[in-house]
Amino acid sequence: MRRVLSVTSECVPLIKTGGLADVAGALPAGLAGQGWQMRTLLPAYPGLIKQAAAKTAVFTFDDLMGGPARVLAGTAGGVDVLLLDAPHLYDRPGGPYGNPTDFADNPLRFAALSSAAAQIAAEGLSDGWRPEVLHAHDWQAGLAPTYLAQLGCEDVATVMTVHNIAFQGLAPAAMLGTMGLPLSAYTSEGLEYWGQISTLKAGLVHADAITTVSPTYASELMRAEFGMGLEGVVAARADRLSGILNGIDMDVWNPQTDAQITPYSATSLKGKATNRKALMSEFGLSGLTGPLAIIVSRLTSQKGMDLVAATADQFVAAGGGLAILGSGDPLIEDQMRVLARNHPGKVGLRIGYDEALSHRMFGGGDVVLVPSRFEPCGLTQLYGLRYGTVPVVAATGGLADSVIHANTMAQSAGVATGFQFHPIDEMALAQCLRNVITLFSDKSGWTRLQKRGMKQALGWEASSAAYAALYESLIGEHRSAT
Ligand code: ADP
Ligand code: GLC
């Protein structure tokens, strides 16, 4: 087996706040099918060592950014995990980043993760394992390629994956020394970003290759509307950039075996009707003549929830219903509460995070609504396809790449799988929802749309093959350079 070290701050089934965890947790199985053993380094947040039965110490640090640390090997959900046990940084309550506000020392906490990854890659673990590739995810792992270069290690290839460029890992320049970085790294060609350190920029500049989680987001990243100030940095490395669409875990998300729902399949959707009834009663909804739309989302400005609030009146008036599950920005949570209060029996809301309920929602919903202002990949539209819960999405990023819009041509060609709207504003969403309601009333047309979605290839096969090919090509480059 070839060897790759994945470096991440979240990984299913151990710890999750968003899609990064799903991807980090599913990628290893996909890559195993390509002949790659992926081991995943992440912080030992409280409880994780026990959960992963991680007992064997495979690396030790006398001092990792202010205290002793070690790496413990274990497994969780089939993922080979390496837990970075550094109590001074990670043994505290409050989620991986702190809650409700971020921990003040987050830059240091994740610089430590990146530094540990680089040391492991340079020296290898005590069990004899040493990676050929270091794969860093998001700003939390962004400094790993920089640290690796600092160690003078040239035989390990590096990949930086951007899951969301909105999070840039900013830290005061004064932290350079504490993070163990030389002043020479602090240049505009290096990790300096408007007078601060950006750990994501460090990764974008220093990694051998940059990937992001959909082809459309890859091209959007080079434009000012989406690059969030880093568009120039990305564009300068366009020849090193690619977009690889995420897959989903086809076993966890399988309407035929999902323990949360009455099972159904593309051959018979009967169980879905039962699930719909149950879901409506769970959310206190009744008397819908139109589609039941679900939303499972972080409630943040990225996710376009203001558009939902603005168009819900019309949607409900036309017979539609809404079941919303999410948490996030307190102001947006309040906006959703107002929406539910204004539409009793038609709009139901659960504030919180509930994995089991999310499964029941995909099982019972007619439509999943994803009106994001930007979306690097997005996973819920993929779950929607898998469950015959037709995705209605903003035409951006991975949403644009994974849903085929049901316009007249796509419908008559028999390829449509959902609905897209553009521009990403109230008017376009309202118009799109009118089209959804019209097609919903055509029972056989709607069923065709559902079944086509359910038959899409949504697993990790194609994407892991693309990652494996990228790793190979980078290793080839390293070999010919040395
Ligand atoms: P992002 O990572 O930007 O939040 P994604 O669509 O990539 O968006 O991934 C979100 C993941 O988190 C999905 O697996 C989704 O089902 C899940 N999720 C989001 N909010 C909730 C919630 N309130 N309860 C349960 N699952 C949620
Ligand atoms: C980020 C993005 C989301 C993507 C996920 C996994 O959280 O916001 O679009 O699906 O990462 O790559």
Side-chain angles (χ1 to χ4, degrees):
M1 292 282 262
R2 315 297 299 275
R3 300 171 310 279
V4 51
L5 177 67
S6 171
V7 190
T8 176
S9 59
E10 305 184 15
C11 183
V12 160
L14 292 177
I15 179 98
K16 166 169 167 179
T17 71
L20 166 62
D22 292 297
V23 172
L27 200 50
L31 279 164
Q34 302 291 326
W36 282 83
Q37 184 195 16
M38 175 173 262
R39 293 179 92 174
T40 302
L41 178 73
L42 79 159
Y45 306 114
L48 264 52
I49 292 176
K50 197 164 164 221
Q51 261 176 277
K55 293 193 186 85
T56 323
V58 287
F59 204 96
T60 53
F61 308 84
D62 294 336
D63 178 22
L64 183 69
M65 314 242 165
R70 57 193 183 147
V71 174
L72 297 171
T75 58
V79 180
D80 248 327
V81 292
L82 299 168
L83 296 177
L84 181 57
D85 182 26
H88 61 296
L89 300 170
Y90 308 127
D91 188 14
R92 51 180 92 162
Y97 315 114
N99 195 8
T101 47
D102 285 355
F103 296 125
D105 60 348
N106 276 350
L108 197 66
R109 294 171 76 230
F110 294 104
L113 176 71
S114 306
S115 170
Q119 292 181 57
I120 289 169
E123 295 171 34
L125 298 172
S126 64
D127 63 8
W129 191 88
R130 185 170 171 239
E132 299 159 89
V133 177
L134 187 162
H135 189 158
H137 298 276
D138 273 351
W139 69 270
Q140 297 91 328
L143 283 172
T146 310
Y147 286 126
L148 196 62
Q150 230 179 294
L151 291 170
C153 174
E154 286 173 4
D155 61 349
V156 174
T158 54
V159 176
M160 176 80 235
T161 294
V162 180
H163 294 265
N164 193 336
I165 208 158
F167 304 107
Q168 305 184 335
L170 300 181
M175 284 189 73
L176 215 56
T178 337
M179 288 170 150
L181 294 162
L183 196 57
S184 59
Y186 190 69
T187 62
S188 56
E189 294 78 38
L191 48 79
E192 186 272 340
Y193 184 66
W194 297 102
Q196 298 193 75
I197 296 166
S198 161
T199 63
L200 181 64
K201 183 180 171 195
L204 295 174
V205 171
H206 291 137
D208 295 323
I210 304 169
T211 71
T212 187
V213 287
S214 69
T216 295
Y217 194 58
S219 58
E220 287 173 346
L221 278 180
M222 294 184 277
R223 290 171 29 206
E225 309 96 279
F226 295 98
M228 308 220 172
L230 286 170
E231 58 275 8
V233 176
V234 178
R237 303 209 64 204
D239 60 331
R240 294 268 131 192
L241 170 71
S242 58
I244 302 175
L245 196 69
N246 289 330
I248 60 171
D249 187 321
M250 298 290 270
D251 298 324
V252 172
W253 295 97
N254 182 353
Q256 286 179 267
T257 56
D258 194 327
Q260 287 297 325
I261 60 171
T262 301
Y264 60 95
S265 69
T267 331
S268 165
L269 289 168
K270 235 175 90 203
K272 193 161 175 65
T274 313
N275 295 324
R276 185 184 198 263
K277 254 192 221 134
L279 185 64
M280 282 182 57
S281 98
E282 189 166 2
F283 273 87
L285 308 180
S286 61
L288 307 183
T289 54
L292 168 60
I294 62 158
I295 292 174
V296 178
S297 183
R298 288 187 291 122
L299 299 179
T300 64
S301 60
Q302 174 192 344
K303 302 293 179 178
M305 290 300 130
D306 51 319
L307 300 179
V308 176
T311 47
D313 287 359
Q314 289 179 49
F315 184 59
V316 167
L322 253 176
I324 305 168
L325 167 64
S327 64
D329 183 334
L331 287 177
I332 302 179
E333 288 183 358
D334 277 345
Q335 214 177 4
M336 295 296 112
R337 283 192 190 97
V338 170
L339 188 63
R341 206 175 304 137
N342 288 346
H343 299 284
K346 306 296 172 199
V347 177
L349 173 69
R350 290 282 181 289
I351 296 287
Y353 188 92
D354 189 336
E355 197 87 28
L357 175 57
S358 77
H359 281 253
R360 295 195 292 280
M361 293 174 73
F362 285 101
D366 298 311
V367 156
V368 56
L369 198 51
V370 196
S372 310
R373 299 203 180 272
F374 69 94
E375 196 61 80
C377 177
L379 297 174
T380 58
Q381 82 282 9
L382 303 177
Y383 304 152
L385 290 170
R386 178 88 167 134
Y387 279 65
T389 307
V390 176
V392 175
V393 305
T396 185
L399 301 174
D401 290 336
S402 55
V403 175
I404 301 171
H405 180 51
N407 57 23
T408 327
M409 242 159 44
Q411 273 183 277
S412 52
V415 295
T417 58
F419 296 83
Q420 294 191 8
F421 65 94
H422 199 265
I424 307 175
D425 62 21
E426 284 173 47
M427 266 198 358
L429 174 58
Q431 179 56 49
C432 181
L433 287 173
R434 282 194 288 275
N435 296 342
V436 170
I437 286 172
T438 308
L439 192 61
F440 184 75
S441 60
D442 163 13
K443 187 97 177 68
S444 63
W446 187 263
T447 308
R448 277 200 300 278
L449 197 61
Q450 288 179 295
K451 292 189 172 177
R452 205 173 295 124
M454 294 177 81
K455 290 178 189 153
Q456 299 291 303
L458 302 166
W460 274 98
E461 292 78 9
S463 311
S464 358
Y467 281 115
L470 175 67
Y471 297 162
E472 290 291 352
S473 76
L474 297 177
I475 289 171
E477 282 176 18
H478 275 257
R479 270 203 206 109
S480 50
T482 51

